């Protein structure tokens, strides 16, 4: 088996994340985690996920680790191509995650990034929060376009 971030590995999982293709039951949890990681990386603009060796999983391959997020939270409002390429290759997403993305507001993100006892707080500057919300809007636009074209149930087919 190939690593998820290798071209051969990507070819293996991209097919399972197509709205018009069934996901094998034994791959459903992994594909749900992978789809969520792709959305998460676009949202936070993690430009380093696909640079090599940042898509590790547990020894039993049941848990995908969302690791090495240090190159995240840029001020780009659309996101890095490194994140958008995997996004545009898939068309199957978590219904729950998409619903939660719709609830994000500037206030909710700012509140989550605050800590009264952390000398580094707030963790995100206003312009970074605005960029995150712009990326969220682009994400939702992409997913909503897919839903209009392929059907709600086919696109929001993951838990």
């Amino acid at each position: 088996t190939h690593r998820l971030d290798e071209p051969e590995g990507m070819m293996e999982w991209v097919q399972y994340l197509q709205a018009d293709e069934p996901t094998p039951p034994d791959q459903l949890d992994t594909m749900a985690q992978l789809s969520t990681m792709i959305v998460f990386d676009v949202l936070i603009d993690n430009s380093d996920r696909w640079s090599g060796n940042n898509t590790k999983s547990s020894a039993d391959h049941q848990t995908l680790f969302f690791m090495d997020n240090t190159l995240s939270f840029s001020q780009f409002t659309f996101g890095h191509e490194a994140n958008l390429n995997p996004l545009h290759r898939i068309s199957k997403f978590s219904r729950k995650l998409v619903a939660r993305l719709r609830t994000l507001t500037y206030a909710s993100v700012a509140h989550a990034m605050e800590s009264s006892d952390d000398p580094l707080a707030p963790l995100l500057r206003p312009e970074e929060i605005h960029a995150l919300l712009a990326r969220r809007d682009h994400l939702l636009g992409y997913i909503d376009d897919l839903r209009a074209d392929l059907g709600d149930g086919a696109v929001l087919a993951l838990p």
Side-chain angles (χ1 to χ4, degrees):
T1 188
H2 301 282
R3 286 191 344 237
L4 295 172
D5 58 353
E6 293 177 321
E8 298 86 358
M10 281 186 148
M11 285 176 27
E12 290 174 8
W13 57 259
V14 162
Q15 67 181 335
Y16 297 142
L17 290 175
Q18 300 306 307
D20 58 351
E21 292 290 329
T23 301
D26 66 324
Q27 293 291 318
L28 189 60
D29 286 343
T30 301
M31 293 304 108
Q33 291 176 66
L34 189 54
S35 175
T36 295
M37 183 180 69
I38 290 168
V39 169
F40 179 70
D41 283 341
V42 172
L43 183 67
I44 69 170
D45 202 28
N46 179 10
S47 62
D48 193 31
R49 176 72 61 213
W50 303 102
S51 64
N53 239 4
N54 288 328
T55 55
K56 294 188 182 286
S57 62
S58 60
D60 63 2
H61 301 287
Q62 298 301 305
T63 303
L64 184 61
F65 300 129
F66 291 39
M67 55 183 270
D68 193 4
N69 300 303
T70 55
L71 294 179
S72 300
F73 299 106
S74 75
Q75 293 180 45
F76 293 120
T77 57
F78 202 72
H80 282 88
E81 189 174 322
N83 299 322
L84 297 172
N85 283 339
L87 175 70
H88 293 144
R89 295 180 74 185
I90 67 172
S91 56
K92 203 180 282 186
F93 302 93
S94 163
R95 181 176 296 275
K96 182 187 267 187
L97 177 61
V98 170
R100 293 294 305 263
L101 286 174
R102 293 188 195 285
T103 68
L104 282 179
T105 64
Y106 181 92
S108 67
V109 174
H111 179 72
M113 295 294 107
E114 291 175 358
S115 174
S116 60
D117 60 350
D118 188 340
L120 299 175
L123 299 177
L124 295 179
R125 298 184 315 265
E127 55 272 17
E128 292 166 329
I129 296 172
H130 286 297
L132 178 141
L133 293 171
R135 290 188 299 271
R136 183 273 318 261
D137 292 345
H138 289 295
L139 265 168
L140 291 175
Y142 173 72
I143 293 169
D144 288 344
D145 287 347
L146 288 172
R147 291 170 61 205
D149 289 345
L150 304 170
D152 194 64
V155 174
L156 300 180
L158 300 173

